[in-house]
Amino acid sequence: MSDDDSPAFGRGAPPLGEMDPDVFRETGHRLVEWIGNYLESSDRHPVLSRNRPGEVRQALPPAAPDTGEGFDQILEDVDRIILPGVTHWNHPGFFAYFAITGSGPGILADFLSAALNAQGMLWRTSPALTELEEVVLDWLRQLLGLAPVEGVIYDTASISTLHALAAARQRVAPDSRSAGLAGRPSLGPFRVYCSQHAHSSVDKALIMLGLGHDNLKRVDTDQSHRMRLDALQAAVNEDRASEMTPMAVVATVGTTAMTSVDPVPAIAELCEREGLWLHVDAAYAGAAAMVPGFEETLAGCDRATSLVVNPHKWLFTPFDLSVLYCRDMDMLRTAFSLTPDYLKNREAGSVRNLMDTGVQLGRRFRALKLWMVLRHFGASGLRTRLADHIRLARLFGSWVDASAQFERLAPIPFSVVCFRAVPEPGETDEAVDELNAELLDAVNRSGKVFLSHTTIGDRYTLRLAVGHIRTTDTHVRLAWDVLRRELARLRSGK
Ligand code: PLP
């Protein structure tokens, strides 16, 4: 039967096969041009999207087109519908949360990764994916000043932490993999300790691992927002006395709210003494360890069992790429390796199969973007850029300190400043909180900059995080000007 006789491939049906290679090249060039222009002038857009809920959905047809469309039309809709609905994380005025950033080499690497479409479940399904990951994680390890340790790339820190705690669970309850934890009162409860300021990904890990959210003990912090060692020891002692099983401690280097650093060397000592798994969450601040003068950032982390660092947070690597270093990767493999018959292979035992190191079977070629970022900027290029972010945060902090209208609410260990508009005489705590919340809204409505907030000691706190690769003095100055202008407007009641 010829193609023409086939009902599925009848006359008028679109041709089969890939996009025409020439159309691909032509469109690809245009898209690269588009991306180049976007990156050069992303500050033309309001940082925080001004869309109302449902706007993008309503602008799009309810079903996919029946016949294919040309890229002219598709790109036009990107400009018209998608772009206004994007909050521009790649805008140099993005100062919210942890201001992450893409970069040219990382973007190109992701483009290439999509083209290769490599899937690294097994070494043989792309030897380069597995081996480049090993090489690039060893490069990063050296830059961070860490002793040799095996690493693995996941998508996010939440998943890195989940895997670390899964390995810790495997260590304390070796048969939990086969028998589970439910209905076994002789086991556990297994307790995990972190500070009041640890990230919610720790909570989620306990929930997911069936350890029970109630078994996360949030330990008090000191005046510098660091986990209190005496409180940690007391919590462990109390749990042992109550027949609970201490399992792991999660220490944070660079907490989400105010980037405080837990005393990792002392916590490591406690964990060694108590036989606990120590996981360090350095998702944001870990990268600082490569900056001259900040080499102590990861002090004590060589004694941790596992450590997460996110190059997608503060190392110019486009989202997503999180690195878990683990001194007991075999425990992680014991927790997760499982090879169905169709994936058995002759190399087993002599190579690393990434599917053994976690829940995911398939893996993207993420190492490519970290590799290209490290190669393109080089160690000194990365150090200088990170150091500049720290300088900019301190510069902003110095303006806050010198101002009568604002006050700083926490030290600036890295590139985040916590501050607020000061109360006027007689103003209640609630009124000051409300004023600062209104100020934040007004500043973000400007479209020029985007800041976020946190809570420190019950006080509503504004937070400026420097992390974008193209952020300069001009953008930080602009944030300061907008803040002062909007505060003056709010105070004058206009
Ligand atoms: N750890 C810390 C300290 C964080 O601040 C965050 C997010 O900001 C995370 C973990 C979670 O990061 P991810 O989005 O990569 O899961």
Side-chain angles (χ1 to χ4, degrees), residues 92-112:
F94 192 107
F95 294 113
Y97 315 114
F98 282 126
I100 62 171
T101 178
S103 65
I107 293 167
L108 293 173
D110 255 355
F111 196 24
L112 179 58

Side-chain angles (χ1 to χ4, degrees), residues 31 36 39 53 83 123 136 160 169 177 199 235 250 276 299 341 347 361 386 420 468 473 475:
L31 190 58
L39 293 178
L83 219 50
W123 175 85
V136 86
S160 293
R169 183 186 66 175
R177 174 180 158 136
H199 189 260
V250 180
L276 305 180
D341 185 57
E347 303 91 40
L361 175 66
L386 295 175
R420 69 168 181 171
H468 192 272
D473 295 61
H475 305 101

Side-chain angles (χ1 to χ4, degrees), residues 98 155-159 199 201 252 254-256 281 283-284 310 312-313 319 322:
F98 282 126
D155 53 0
T156 57
S158 305
I159 298 301
H199 189 260
S201 50
T252 311
T255 55
T256 313
D281 178 354
Y284 153 70
N310 269 14
H312 76 223
K313 273 201 184 359
F319 193 79
S322 174

Side-chain angles (χ1 to χ4, degrees), residues 185-384:
S186 60
L187 272 188
F190 298 110
R191 303 281 279 176
V192 177
Y193 310 84
C194 65
S195 95
Q196 286 160 351
H197 302 297
H199 189 260
S200 56
S201 50
V202 185
D203 302 60
K204 288 198 180 176
L206 268 87
I207 295 167
M208 280 200 65
L209 293 168
L211 296 168
H213 198 186
D214 290 350
N215 288 311
L216 179 62
K217 174 79 189 150
R218 285 196 173 260
V219 175
D220 284 346
T221 47
D222 62 19
Q223 293 212 320
S224 308
H225 313 290
R226 297 151 51 92
M227 192 193 293
R228 267 180 41 204
L229 204 70
D230 60 330
L232 174 62
Q233 184 69 67
V236 170
N237 294 348
E238 197 181 309
D239 284 351
R240 286 207 197 283
S242 319
E243 316 252 302
M244 296 184 184
T245 308
M247 182 185 103
V249 176
V250 180
T252 311
V253 171
T255 55
T256 313
M258 70 292 279
T259 70
S260 56
V261 177
D262 288 335
V264 176
I267 295 174
E269 205 170 299
L270 183 151
C271 288
E272 284 161 11
R273 204 170 52 240
E274 297 283 348
L276 305 180
W277 184 290
L278 172 58
H279 175 62
V280 176
D281 178 354
Y284 153 70
M290 66 177 74
V291 178
F294 287 78
E295 293 86 352
E296 290 302 301
T297 301
L298 293 178
C301 289
D302 282 334
R303 292 163 71 185
T305 333
S306 53
L307 162 78
V308 54
V309 179
N310 269 14
H312 76 223
K313 273 201 184 359
W314 199 20
L315 206 57
F316 315 112
T317 306
F319 193 79
D320 50 10
L321 196 159
S322 174
V323 175
L324 180 72
Y325 288 113
C326 185
R327 294 199 179 282
D328 200 353
M329 200 63 94
D330 282 340
M331 194 59 74
L332 191 61
R333 280 187 274 266
T334 306
F336 288 106
S337 56
L338 190 152
T339 311
D341 185 57
Y342 77 106
L343 294 177
K344 296 211 164 96
N345 58 91
R346 292 186 192 282
E347 303 91 40
S350 62
V351 296
R352 193 170 184 233
N353 290 320
L354 287 171
M355 68 172 193
D356 292 335
T357 44
V359 174
Q360 242 186 303
L361 175 66
R363 301 197 172 225
R364 295 201 314 113
F365 202 164
R366 291 194 178 86
L368 208 49
K369 55 186 165 182
L370 183 53
W371 183 57
M372 290 200 182
V373 165
L374 296 183
R375 285 189 68 176
H376 181 74
F377 295 117
S380 64
L382 294 170
R383 287 191 185 105
T384 334

